Amino acid sequence: MKSEMTNQNQSTDELFEHYEGKFKAIADKKRLQIMNILTQNGSMCVCDLAPLMEMSQSKLSYHLKILLDANIIKKETKGTWSFYELNQEELNHLLSSELCCLFKPTCC
């Protein structure tokens, strides 16, 4: 029984760490703005996104990498250009019943 509880706690801890990384990635005003622009425009090149964000491509790339590492956005390279779009599947997980069950067990 104790071993089962330890495994369950470890599993819950791993799940918390997984979501912690996701929420840290989106817990930034600039990254939320990037996500909103991608929501409105779909797939975009950094060269088109930078003027909308009023930031340099290097600073924008920093924010895009954080979102990319958290799997919040996807990247497709076409020639020398990289195009970014929201990863809707991953965003659905952040709003999913799986996460809801951790905090509202009556809805599971």
Side-chain angles (χ1 to χ4, degrees):
M1 180 83 172
K2 187 172 183 174
S3 176
E4 187 176 310
M5 289 274 291
T6 303
N7 288 340
Q8 185 177 2
N9 288 342
Q10 182 179 8
S11 177
T12 304
D13 284 346
E14 289 170 0
L15 190 60
F16 287 159
E17 285 179 22
H18 171 79
Y19 280 107
E20 177 184 35
K22 306 281 182 196
F23 285 112
K24 278 184 178 180
I26 63 173
D28 179 273
K29 183 179 177 181
K30 292 292 184 190
R31 291 191 284 275
L32 289 170
Q33 289 173 332
I34 292 167
M35 291 170 63
N36 183 256
I37 290 170
L38 292 176
T39 297
Q40 295 172 13
N41 297 294
S43 180
M44 292 186 73
C45 175
V46 173
C47 60
D48 295 325
L49 192 53
L52 295 175
M53 289 298 299
E54 299 178 352
M55 65 173 57
S56 68
Q57 285 190 15
S58 62
K59 191 171 273 196
L60 177 58
S61 292
Y62 165 79
H63 289 290
L64 290 170
K65 178 162 179 14
I66 291 170
L67 292 170
L68 195 59
D69 288 347
N71 203 27
I72 302 295
I73 61 172
K74 298 186 279 186
K75 174 179 151 182
E76 182 181 357
T77 303
K78 297 178 184 176
T80 58
W81 297 104
S82 294
F83 290 81
Y84 296 87
E85 66 180 313
L86 289 174
N87 183 348
Q88 288 298 327
E89 186 176 327
E90 192 63 39
L91 289 173
N92 289 343
H93 284 293
L94 292 178
L95 306 172
S96 72
S97 60
E98 175 186 29
L99 189 58
C100 177
C101 286
L102 291 172
F103 304 109
K104 294 172 85 177
T106 56
C107 69
C108 299

